[in-house]
Amino acid sequence: MKKVLSIAGFDPTTGAGVQADVKTILDLGGYPLGVSTSITVQNSKKVYAKEDISPKTVKEQIEAILSDIDVDAVKIGMLGNKENIKHISKSIKDIKAPIVLDPVMISTSGCRLLDKDAIKVLKKRLLPICDLVTPNIYEASFLSGIEISSLKDMKKAAKRLTKTGAKAVLLKGGHLKGEFAVDILYKDGKFTTFKSKKIDEQKSYHGTGCVLSTAIAFYLAKGFGMKKAVKKAKKYIDKSIKKSFQISKLGSYMLGVGVKNGANQNKR
């Protein structure tokens, strides 16, 4: 059984963050381990505020786990502030396992989840030790300094991000206009394109980025190569979206991760 460590924020709806990661790992057949970096005040539609856990406590959570358990992969999500980044990077830099970073910066509803002064530290301390970073176009723009409005821009940004030290970049293009969602994987100087028809843009889905990056980490732990791991994770997220269900009064859909017959839950 593969053991995957999630280092991420706490979402009280369990649709995103460390709880969504735990559900994903369990659903895929792995054993989840979780470290919380920040407590968020949110529902399925909006993040209202965050309160970061002390860097010392974050560090001690990680080190307590690693002193006892050999993990097979690490997924990193919301980090909150630069001190958390410094402590986390120091604690995991010697891990002999794949590290996947989902660089959560701003929520869909506009709440800042990573302090502005932390971006430079993220690029300097964390990207160089990651095997894969999975930004959306907004996050990639912040990290690369390139304004992204096309596939050509995405490729430029991905190349620039690998120059900061990341071994590979999966740049998610779902927010670009068009009938299809196009993601690009850049690794070892080569691009791989993943193209899929967008699924009902009128619906709001909660936690897709968290689930995708966690699934990739799991498949890397299983020994799949990067391209295959991304391909399998994208199939998993597509199935999870198709099984999504609505328990939200505000209209959001939760992914059907670890929920049997999830699509029928809103009929009960």
Side-chain angles (χ1 to χ4, degrees), residues 9-20 38 40 42-44 206 254:
F10 181 94
D11 171 9
T13 73
T14 78
V18 71
Q19 302 98 305
S38 185
T40 65
Q42 69 172 293
N43 52 35
S44 66
H206 190 53
M254 296 292 188

Side-chain angles (χ1 to χ4, degrees), residues 238-268:
D238 287 345
K239 289 179 182 178
S240 298
I241 289 173
K242 288 174 182 176
K243 290 197 303 179
S244 65
F245 56 95
Q246 190 175 26
I247 56 173
S248 162
K249 292 187 290 185
L250 301 176
S252 293
Y253 283 75
M254 296 292 188
L255 299 184
V257 174
V259 178
K260 291 184 178 180
N261 303 315
N264 295 321
Q265 299 298 312
N266 60 330
K267 296 179 182 178
R268 293 183 181 179

Side-chain angles (χ1 to χ4, degrees), residues 31-47:
Y31 188 87
L33 303 150
V35 168
S36 294
T37 58
S38 185
I39 305 296
T40 65
V41 179
Q42 69 172 293
N43 52 35
S44 66
K45 200 72 172 177
K46 183 177 180 179
V47 181

Side-chain angles (χ1 to χ4, degrees), residues 213-227:
S213 54
T214 302
I216 294 171
F218 173 80
Y219 286 120
L220 289 174
K222 292 279 285 184
F224 291 100
M226 187 65 71
K227 192 187 299 187

Side-chain angles (χ1 to χ4, degrees), residues 9 16 51 62 87 89 101 119-120 141 144 149 163 202 208 223 230 236 245 266:
E51 183 171 334
I62 296 170
H87 283 292
S89 61
L101 170 65
I119 295 176
K120 186 181 290 187
S141 292
S144 68
S149 59
K163 290 179 181 178
Q202 301 304 312
T208 52
V230 171
Y236 176 75
F245 56 95
N266 60 330

